[in-house]
């Protein structure tokens, strides 16, 4: 999964490098093309770009010192929740 690779390729606690808007013409997950009606959204965990539908979830990301709920992609939502549970980090 692209989001998993992006998130796992950086050291724990380091913020993601955001994918450039100019380099992304379609959603990383569902491949829907972006337009005036289908907008780009960065996942705050992996930094990749997704459509609203594929990044509709929000959660805290304690590993990045983000203690308020922010937009994440579907894959990162599962990863963050699993990590928080495994390490008993608040914010579930």
């Amino acid at each position: 999964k692209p989001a998993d690779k992006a998130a796992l390729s950086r050291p724990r606690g380091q913020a993601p490098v955001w994918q450039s808007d100019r380099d992304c013409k379609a959603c990383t997950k569902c491949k829907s093309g972006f337009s005036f009606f289908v907008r780009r959204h960065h996942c705050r965990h992996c930094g990749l770009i997704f459509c609203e539908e594929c990044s509709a979830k929000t959660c805290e990301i304690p590993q990045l010192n983000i203690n308020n709920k922010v937009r994440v992609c579907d894959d990162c939502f599962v990863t963050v929740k699993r990590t928080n549970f495994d390490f008993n980090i608040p914010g579930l």
Side-chain angles (χ1 to χ4, degrees):
K1 297 176 185 176
D4 290 343
K5 288 179 185 176
L8 292 175
S9 64
R10 67 174 194 278
R12 182 177 170 85
Q14 181 179 342
V17 174
W18 280 20
Q19 182 178 13
S20 169
D21 287 350
R22 282 181 277 150
D23 295 340
C24 190
K25 305 295 182 209
C27 173
T28 301
K29 184 173 183 180
C30 73
K31 308 301 181 204
S32 292
F34 294 119
S35 68
F36 183 75
F37 299 104
V38 180
R39 300 196 50 209
R40 292 171 175 84
H41 298 280
H42 283 89
C43 171
R44 301 316 194 262
H45 186 255
C46 68
L48 298 178
I49 299 175
F50 299 87
C51 68
E52 182 175 7
E53 194 170 312
C54 293
S55 63
K57 294 178 174 57
T58 61
C59 66
E60 298 171 355
I61 311 173
Q63 303 87 336
L64 299 177
N65 293 319
I66 298 174
N67 299 313
N68 55 321
K69 291 187 176 188
V70 293
R71 181 182 294 271
V72 293
C73 68
D74 294 345
D75 293 339
C76 285
F77 180 80
V78 172
T79 300
V80 170
K81 289 297 188 178
R82 184 180 309 130
T83 301
N84 292 352
F85 179 78
D86 288 348
F87 292 98
N88 197 25
I89 297 172
L92 289 174

